Amino acid sequence: MIESLQHLMNGFAIAGTIQNLLYCLIGCIVGTLIGVLPGIGPIAGIALLIPATFGLDPTSAIIMLAGIYYGAMYGGSTTSILLNVPGETASVITCIDGYRMAQKGRAGPALAIVAIGSFIAGTISIFGLVFLAPPLAEAALAFGPPEYFSLMVFGFIVLSNVTGKSLVKSLMMAVIGLIIGTIGLDPVTGDARFTYGSVSLLGGIEFVAVAIGLFGIGEVLVNVNQSSELLDQGVIMPRLRELYPSLQDLRKSMGAILRGTVSGFGIGLVPGPAPVIATYSSYMIERRVSKHPEEFGQGAIEGVAGPESANNAACQAAFIPLFVLGIPFAPPTAILLGALLIHGVSPGPLMISQHAGLFWGVIASMYIGNFVLLILNLPLVPLFANILRIPKRILLPLVILFCLTGMYTVNNSVFDIWVMFLFGAMGFLMRKWAYEGAPLLLALVLGPKLEVAFRQSLMISHGDFGAFINRPISLAFLLATLLFLMVPIFRIFFKKLRKGGVA
Amino acid sequence: MKRDEIIVGVVIFIFGAVTTVLSLRMHIGTFRTAGAGMFPLLLGILLMVLSSTFVSKKFFQGKGEQAGKEASIESSESPMQLILFLGTMILAALFFNRLGYPLTSFLLVLGLLRILGIKRWGLNILISVVTAAGSYFLFIKWLDIPMPKGWIGI
């Protein structure tokens, strides 16, 4: 433990040089700006700027790219709150309560709590990284395909339970997302599925197109469809003193931030798109522990504080499998892995001993990056919140233009723009009939991974489904899934029983 | 509302059925060595089960139980604005490569502002020019992202 602390101190010395601080600052600023643009999330942001780091030494380069990663994650949350446009998957859940808060004139507190929650989560996570990294990385290795499959099934059920009012509707959306996720090349055999000769479909349906379509374009179309009076109504604008969270907001958020940090950190270590699962799990936990679960979905600050803290903690924890095992479990860390390789660093079990300066320097820079983001973004809250002052009649065309531009920049493909419009129309209809977009989106992201885990598990077990229940971790997840499915049924049963008893 | 819900449920059922049929045309294999069609086939069947549960639930649900349970968005007095808005978006995507990014962004914003009721041409053109120029410098000049140049060539 003492040794780890010493290494961390050395890391701070490396990350704290003027040069590296500057790169961290540049990374955070550029990342935030990129994250605010719909469509250009952390993946595109890092990819676009890797060439800019070629002239730097590996430590400075990774510090700057990690800064872009965090900045873009934060920027993505900003657009989720203000415009209901998630910059990347992990921000989808922030749309639910963050956007409602903005509509009620509470964009400022929502934006500020993201920065505060992320900073607290970052502070706690760094200690987790230092003391728990080696044993937790070993524990993560215990996850094989069956555990991975059961965890994802659990994730779907949890998410379907927390979003919307109808479990069946949410589950249908999740299955539709999984089906859409099968379009493209079969991840195991490489056969083309549902592509019908289209080269554009071989790579599958672009996630960003679905995300911007369902949430961003869908929301714009809902607004356009409103009567003229409603279009002019706009959102309630906050007064200056309401731009930052009140003491009551902070008190409400503190528990959510701490719970989000702990759950997010744990999930971040597990193979899979950790930030996405972490945000959904945190949201679910907060709704369950809340004394006012009915406020969730209507602008509850805990619904923003918890998931955003979980997101940050999971992002930090995701560096453990990347650095210690050399396995990136999420697209942004995969791009960072590419950057490491370009700079001649091969992550793996020997990385801590062979590139100690780089490893601990980056760990320390994460903390510095969080601090920079806090002091950078808190003063910017009024500026961002003022975006909502722009009349809807002017704001909506601008959102469409940025969605279109952002979408094109992902693959330089007009086809993606068509997909985005298609899902925009679908998002509009889904709102009309009260269907939730979040389960569909999560299923689209996790679908290919779920399929691979499912098929690998059955290959290993020679087609025996017992593989999912004979392994304790997998069984635990499946039992938890069953419990989650049974809870609403029991609730209805007992409600009816009580009604019958009273009558 | 109840009728709409049932229709949507039936549409989802059809989607599940089509997925199932199309999956059967692919190699299914066994559980041990699953082919490309196995996973979508299982999903198609699952979707059919879920949608039939949903439809039958809605069908047997009492009127009073349904009322006020689920929120839906208010529909506009005139859907013309939405149709024109969507049409302009589609035109922008259609001519994106031919017109190029700066011109498409200018015309798109100009058209959408007009449809949303910004009738003063001076203000409309000013917003469109500033937005098109701003996004041109941001994406093409600063971020160096390759965008269609179109016939104007910038």
Side-chain angles (χ1 to χ4, degrees):
Chain A
M1 191 183 282
I2 305 272
E3 200 187 348
S4 293
L5 265 180
Q6 271 175 348
H7 283 310
L8 182 65
M9 287 303 122
N10 286 340
F12 271 107
I14 292 165
T17 60
I18 299 290
Q19 185 197 355
N20 285 341
L21 278 179
L22 193 67
Y23 286 126
C24 187
L25 181 71
I26 293 171
C28 287
I29 294 171
V30 172
T32 308
L33 290 176
I34 282 177
V36 169
L37 302 173
I40 308 183
I43 306 166
I46 297 169
L48 279 169
L49 289 152
I50 282 179
T53 66
F54 284 162
L56 308 179
D57 69 90
T59 312
S60 305
I62 301 303
I63 285 175
M64 187 168 137
L65 292 174
I68 294 171
Y69 180 31
Y70 287 126
M73 293 296 255
Y74 183 85
S77 310
T78 306
T79 50
S80 295
I81 291 167
L82 298 179
L83 306 172
N84 205 18
V85 177
E88 26 75 47
T89 19
S91 305
V92 172
I93 208 84
T94 312
C95 288
I96 300 173
D97 278 288
Y99 184 66
R100 285 280 158 262
M101 282 181 76
Q103 293 296 297
K104 289 178 177 173
R106 286 175 47 76
L111 290 167
I113 211 71
V114 170
I116 295 167
S118 298
F119 177 69
I120 295 172
T123 309
I124 298 171
S125 296
I126 195 162
F127 287 104
L129 268 173
V130 171
F131 300 118
L132 301 174
L136 286 179
E138 267 174 46
L141 278 175
F143 268 68
E147 286 79 12
Y148 196 12
F149 173 80
S150 305
L151 170 69
M152 282 190 274
V153 171
F154 176 64
F156 284 129
I157 301 300
V158 165
L159 178 67
S160 304
N161 246 327
V162 298
T163 54
K165 289 177 179 167
S166 162
L167 178 65
V168 186
K169 272 184 172 182
S170 294
L171 283 175
M172 285 195 293
M173 285 300 107
V175 177
I176 290 174
L178 287 173
I179 292 173
I180 295 168
T182 62
I183 296 172
L185 292 179
D186 177 352
V188 179
T189 63
D191 292 339
R193 295 189 294 200
F194 307 121
T195 56
Y196 305 104
S198 161
V199 179
S200 306
L201 282 175
L202 279 178
I205 297 288
E206 175 59 52
F207 154 76
V208 183
V210 181
I212 301 181
L214 280 184
F215 287 86
I217 305 276
E219 184 64 36
V220 169
L221 294 181
V222 167
N223 277 291
V224 171
N225 195 36
Q226 284 172 340
S227 61
S228 202
E229 299 80 53
L230 279 171
L231 202 58
D232 286 327
Q233 210 172 25
V235 295
I236 304 159
M237 285 315 302
R239 281 167 291 183
L240 192 65
R241 65 182 174 83
E242 289 168 351
L243 278 171
Y244 291 100
S246 64
L247 266 178
Q248 198 198 353
D249 286 334
L250 288 173
R251 214 174 298 137
K252 273 171 130 180
S253 307
M254 207 41 77
I257 290 171
L258 294 177
R259 282 186 292 272
T261 304
V262 174
S263 64
F265 190 84
I267 293 166
L269 298 164
V270 178
V276 187
I277 298 180
T279 50
Y280 288 112
S281 304
S282 167
Y283 192 78
M284 181 269 300
I285 293 168
E286 290 317 312
R287 203 162 95 152
R288 291 267 176 254
V289 301
S290 173
K291 284 176 188 157
H292 306 284
E294 70 284 353
E295 286 176 9
F296 280 73
Q298 305 300 321
I301 197 161
E302 303 97 306
V304 178
E308 282 297 328
S309 311
N311 182 7
N312 200 290
C315 285
Q316 293 213 354
F319 276 94
I320 292 178
L322 174 70
F323 284 150
V324 179
L325 307 176
I327 306 169
F329 291 131
T333 45
I335 298 224
L336 278 177
L337 173 70
L340 281 168
L341 293 172
I342 287 170
H343 284 279
V345 181
S346 304
L350 295 175
M351 186 178 162
I352 300 178
S353 54
Q354 284 180 351
H355 300 279
L358 172 72
F359 179 79
W360 293 103
V362 173
I363 300 278
S365 82
M366 289 177 194
Y367 187 70
I368 296 173
N370 272 311
F371 185 68
V372 168
L373 278 174
L374 184 75
I375 54 170
L376 191 74
N377 283 301
L378 277 184
L380 289 178
V381 164
L383 179 77
F384 284 135
N386 271 323
I387 289 176
L388 297 174
R389 282 187 195 274
I390 303 172
K392 270 188 188 173
R393 290 181 193 277
I394 296 173
L395 186 63
L396 297 179
L398 302 188
V399 173
I400 291 290
L401 175 65
F402 278 103
C403 288
L404 185 135
T405 312
M407 193 59 257
Y408 184 81
T409 57
V410 176
N411 293 321
N412 292 337
S413 152
V414 175
F415 179 79
D416 286 344
I417 296 176
W418 288 114
V419 174
M420 175 180 77
F421 285 169
L422 180 74
F423 279 92
M426 194 171 150
F428 170 76
L429 293 173
M430 280 164 66
R431 274 175 178 72
K432 198 172 164 71
W433 291 309
Y435 281 82
E436 287 294 330
L440 190 154
L441 209 55
L442 182 74
L444 180 68
V445 178
L446 291 184
K449 294 176 178 75
L450 182 86
E451 182 180 1
V452 170
F454 176 72
R455 285 163 72 173
Q456 281 178 344
S457 305
L458 290 174
M459 261 185 237
I460 295 165
S461 67
H462 303 286
D464 179 11
F465 279 84
F468 299 108
I469 50 169
N470 293 336
R471 298 166 67 125
I473 301 174
S474 172
L475 179 66
F477 280 126
L478 289 180
L479 286 176
T481 307
L482 199 65
L483 201 70
F484 261 93
L485 279 174
M486 299 307 279
V487 164
I489 298 169
F490 279 129
R491 205 181 290 153
I492 294 166
F493 178 74
F494 282 119
K495 209 183 267 179
K496 279 190 177 167
L497 204 71
R498 211 175 300 151
K499 266 187 190 171
V502 171
Chain B
M1 185 67 189
K2 183 177 163 178
R3 200 186 59 141
D4 284 359
E5 292 265 41
I6 291 173
I7 292 170
V8 175
V10 171
V11 170
I12 293 175
F13 180 86
I14 294 169
F15 181 71
V18 170
T19 307
T20 307
V21 172
L22 293 177
S23 307
L24 284 169
R25 291 186 187 167
M26 292 182 235
H27 175 58
I28 302 295
T30 62
F31 281 122
R32 186 181 171 182
T33 49
M38 172 74 84
F39 197 64
L41 174 72
L42 296 176
L43 292 174
I45 295 169
L46 182 61
L47 189 59
M48 284 196 290
V49 171
L50 285 170
S51 50
S52 356
T53 312
F54 176 73
V55 170
S56 43
K57 196 177 147 195
K58 288 289 159 194
F59 194 77
F60 293 111
Q61 199 171 46
K63 258 189 180 174
E65 232 179 303
Q66 173 70 24
K69 251 195 164 180
E70 281 153 3
S72 71
I73 57 165
E74 292 292 319
S75 64
S76 160
E77 288 157 10
S78 158
M80 194 45 80
Q81 186 166 266
L82 181 69
I83 293 166
L84 287 173
F85 198 89
L86 265 171
T88 310
M89 282 162 54
I90 290 168
L91 281 176
L94 267 178
F95 293 102
F96 192 54
N97 276 331
R98 255 171 281 177
L99 292 180
Y101 179 69
L103 196 55
T104 309
S105 52
F106 169 74
L107 292 173
L108 174 72
V109 176
L110 189 79
L112 296 182
L113 285 170
R114 187 85 188 154
I115 291 162
L116 288 183
I118 308 286
K119 301 287 183 198
R120 278 160 50 201
W121 277 112
L123 178 67
N124 199 329
I125 289 170
L126 179 73
I127 296 169
S128 309
V129 168
V130 169
T131 313
S135 53
Y136 173 78
F137 281 104
L138 177 67
F139 290 103
I140 297 174
K141 292 290 169 192
W142 185 58
L143 288 173
D144 219 8
I145 295 171
M147 288 289 199
K149 291 187 191 311
W151 58 264
I152 54 166
I154 52 167

